[in-house]
Amino acid sequence: MIKVCKFGGTSMADANAIRQVKAIIDADKSRKFVVVSAPGKRNKNDIKITDMLYKCYGEVVATGKCESFAVIRSRFEEIVSDLELDCDITAVLDRTEKEIIENKSADFAASRGEYLSAYVTANYLGAKFVDAADLIRFDSKGKLNEEYTDDKVKTILDGVEFAVIPGFFGKDSFGKIKTFSRGGSDITGSIIARGVKADLYENWTDVSGFLVCDPRIVPEAKTIKQLTYKELRELSYMGASVLHSEAIFPVMKGKIPINIKNTFKPEDAGTMIVPNEMHKEDNETIITGIAGKKDFTVIYIEKSMMNAEVGFIRKVLSVVEHYGICVEHVPSGIDTVSIILASDQLEGILSDLVSEIRENVNPDYVHVIENVSLIATVGHGMAKRSGTAAKIFSSLAEKGINIKMIDQGSSELNIIIGVANSDYEDCIRTIYRAFN
Ligand code: ADP
Ligand code: ASP
Ligand code: MG
């Protein structure tokens, strides 16, 4: 039995948390590969090491020095001293500071949080430190080079009994350090799990599993006992930030289950994320989870006989493509279509984009709605039951929340609705309470 364990930022935040990590690892000898994040927040007002490192990079660019490194230094020195470790952390920190100044790379600077965290943890656990730079490789387009990476993970970790690996980064095709997007240590854990053919990928965080919705919005949200890969993908893509939305892909191929666990309540079962065929039907559950994201723009287009006009939607989408913009959803009716786009891509180009759509397809009516939030209600249970959508809509109507857009995925796995950003939290709370 092999388990890969990834510990997030809160689990690495200070010596007490790291002691907890050791107790978890010591309790189960199959926990052989440990992937760690950089130390995160110790309290609400604290700053993550990764954010401090991006700040250091900014200082290097502006002044050639990084004064904020002193804060990072003292956090690692404090951890090492509290854990009474016998390692020369000062020398490692000196070298790291010098490298951050010389490298002048945001990715390099940011990656050092995980590097230092893994260095300290390996020392404390008595495990081998294996640098992610030797394992994970990106291609020239910045995508993960799966073949190369899998091969390296297999060969370098072959015969290694117990190792700690920093999350979040690898090397690009030129050999320079490159990070995943934020929260990317979850992806590292998944890559290692696939490479070593783990039986289980344990993702240790600061909540007792994947909750039906964000606990910051619905504090009483229940834990989801079991989730399928597909449901996870929908929820994490739609904003459930507990697991990076791309972390699913490496384990999906190896059909390795993921167990989301709480470092501070290790006895809680947490959430199991499994391939569809391993999913146990629970007839009680209608909806599995609710997640959402703010700040979308809807371009609503109406034209009589749109359905009879060959290539209409293609022409609209080709204008969007021409601007290099990713499309989030395209819900359509007989004579209407809405194009939903993340607003941050539209800065300074929205009016040109709309004019070009007008020129290209000559619609009867175009209307732009900004500041829209998308909220997805996800669950395999919805397909088998009628009335789920009606329940969502009527509960929102009762609360006076105006629905601006509806898109029911063809998989019947989700219903996505658009509401004003100002209704975002209320909408999630209302849907949750309608079903619980
Ligand atoms: P880590 O640093 O361990 O990777 P993250 O902060 O990335 O942890 O993810 C855990 C956090 O995700 C939780 O503390 C919680 O605030 C947030 N979160 C958002 N949506 C959910 C959800 N549906 N279930 C659980 N946690 C969620
Ligand atoms: N430390 C990185 C971040 O804050 C990666 C991670 O925690 O997964 O985004
Ligand atoms: Mg995370």
Side-chain angles (χ1 to χ4, degrees):
M1 175 77 127
I2 300 177
K3 290 182 188 165
V4 169
C5 303
K6 177 259 171 177
F7 290 90
T10 334
S11 312
M12 287 287 130
D14 58 20
N16 270 338
I18 301 173
R19 276 191 201 100
Q20 193 63 36
V21 168
K22 182 166 164 37
I24 290 166
I25 297 297
D26 287 349
D28 182 346
K29 287 288 162 241
S30 60
R31 293 179 173 138
K32 292 182 178 173
F33 299 100
V34 180
V35 173
V36 296
S37 282
K41 293 184 181 191
R42 292 161 294 186
N43 53 62
K44 243 187 167 173
N45 303 319
D46 204 6
I47 304 175
K48 284 181 162 194
I49 288 287
T50 309
D51 292 319
M52 292 296 304
L53 285 160
Y54 281 118
K55 188 167 178 224
C56 283
Y57 164 71
E59 290 170 357
V60 169
V61 172
T63 67
K65 286 188 279 189
C66 55
E67 300 199 325
S68 299
F69 195 79
V71 183
I72 295 164
R73 182 181 285 277
S74 72
R75 269 191 79 177
F76 279 104
E77 280 174 348
E78 195 180 313
I79 290 173
V80 166
S81 132
D82 279 2
L83 295 175
E84 297 177 13
L85 296 184
D86 180 21
C87 68
D88 191 358
I89 190 70
T90 307
V92 180
L93 288 163
D94 287 346
R95 193 189 77 215
T96 304
E97 181 173 3
K98 204 165 148 256
E99 286 171 342
I100 289 174
I101 294 170
E102 285 168 1
N103 255 283
K104 288 197 182 54
S105 143
D107 282 21
F108 180 83
S111 74
R112 295 305 90 184
E114 272 59 22
Y115 181 94
L116 292 166
S117 184
Y119 172 81
V120 169
T121 310
N123 193 293
Y124 183 53
L125 298 179
K128 184 178 164 127
F129 169 86
V130 179
D131 194 345
D134 299 328
L135 302 173
I136 293 176
R137 185 62 66 99
F138 298 91
D139 66 19
S140 56
K141 289 188 181 132
K143 288 237 161 65
L144 180 72
N145 182 337
E146 287 186 31
E147 221 170 291
Y148 182 98
T149 301
D150 268 357
D151 185 57
K152 284 288 172 200
V153 173
K154 269 184 210 122
T155 49
I156 294 179
L157 296 181
D158 185 40
V160 174
E161 270 304 300
F162 184 27
V164 177
I165 302 147
F168 192 36
F169 68 92
K171 271 186 181 168
D172 69 12
S173 55
F174 301 104
K176 286 184 70 179
I177 294 290
K178 175 175 165 56
T179 65
F180 291 105
S181 54
R182 294 300 302 265
S185 300
D186 291 331
I187 310 174
T188 310
S190 185
I191 290 170
I192 302 298
R194 180 178 66 193
V196 302
K197 294 199 161 57
D199 299 280
L200 183 65
Y201 171 24
E202 289 181 336
N203 190 291
W204 293 85
T205 181
D206 58 357
V207 276
S208 290
F210 215 110
L211 308 180
V212 174
C213 44
D214 190 333
R216 291 164 295 188
I217 299 172
V218 182
E220 76 272 21
K222 288 186 195 147
T223 299
I224 305 169
K225 283 194 196 123
Q226 203 189 68
L227 201 60
T228 65
Y229 284 165
K230 275 195 184 152
E231 289 172 325
L232 168 73
R233 173 72 181 146
E234 299 277 352
L235 287 168
S236 60
Y237 181 77
M238 283 303 294
S241 55
V242 61
L243 199 73
H244 193 290
S245 65
E246 289 162 33
I248 184 70
F249 297 114
V251 290
M252 213 168 176
K253 284 195 180 157
K255 295 195 186 311
I256 302 164
I258 308 173
N259 192 188
I260 311 276
K261 297 271 287 176
N262 188 342
T263 301
F264 307 97
K265 287 186 181 167
E267 62 289 353
D268 287 358
T271 301
M272 282 301 282
I273 302 163
V274 297
N276 279 18
E277 59 272 26
M278 281 190 204
H279 181 54
K280 279 202 205 80
E281 288 292 334
D282 173 357
N283 289 326
E284 299 289 289
T285 314
I286 304 171
I287 64 162
T288 307
I290 309 158
K293 283 198 256 190
K294 285 185 171 175
D295 297 326
F296 291 91
T297 298
V298 181
I299 304 177
Y300 172 85
I301 304 165
E302 231 179 77
K303 187 174 187 185
S304 299
M305 303 289 286
M306 178 191 290
N307 62 332
E309 193 175 321
V310 174
F312 185 91
I313 293 181
R314 181 189 50 75
K315 282 184 213 153
V316 174
L317 291 179
S318 68
V319 175
V320 179
E321 187 183 347
H322 171 76
Y323 281 83
I325 293 171
C326 295
V327 176
E328 208 72 22
H329 297 280
V330 190
S332 62
I334 301 170
D335 291 330
T336 64
V337 62
S338 295
I339 313 293
I340 301 174
L341 311 161
S343 305
D344 60 356
Q345 308 177 93
L346 299 172
E347 263 164 53
I349 58 167
L350 180 59
S351 63
D352 288 349
L353 177 73
V354 173
S355 307
E356 213 170 301
I357 290 175
R358 279 208 171 90
E359 278 163 31
N360 260 29
V361 295
N362 197 22
D364 299 337
Y365 176 68
V366 179
H367 178 54
V368 175
I369 315 166
E370 291 184 89
N371 302 316
V372 172
S373 291
L374 296 183
I375 292 161
T377 306
V378 175
H380 288 293
M382 296 195 309
K384 281 176 261 121
R385 256 187 214 81
S386 55
T388 314
K391 195 164 176 175
I392 295 174
F393 302 146
S394 61
S395 66
L396 294 173
E398 245 168 64
K399 267 268 178 181
I401 296 172
N402 182 19
I403 302 173
K404 296 181 179 295
M405 186 278 303
I406 300 168
D407 187 9
Q408 175 152 29
S410 47
S411 62
E412 287 194 73
L413 185 63
N414 66 8
I415 295 172
I416 295 171
I417 56 169
V419 298
N421 275 347
S422 54
D423 285 331
Y424 175 74
E425 284 86 2
D426 238 357
C427 179
I428 291 182
R429 275 192 283 268
T430 304
I431 299 174
Y432 180 83
R433 286 170 192 162
F435 287 91
N436 289 278

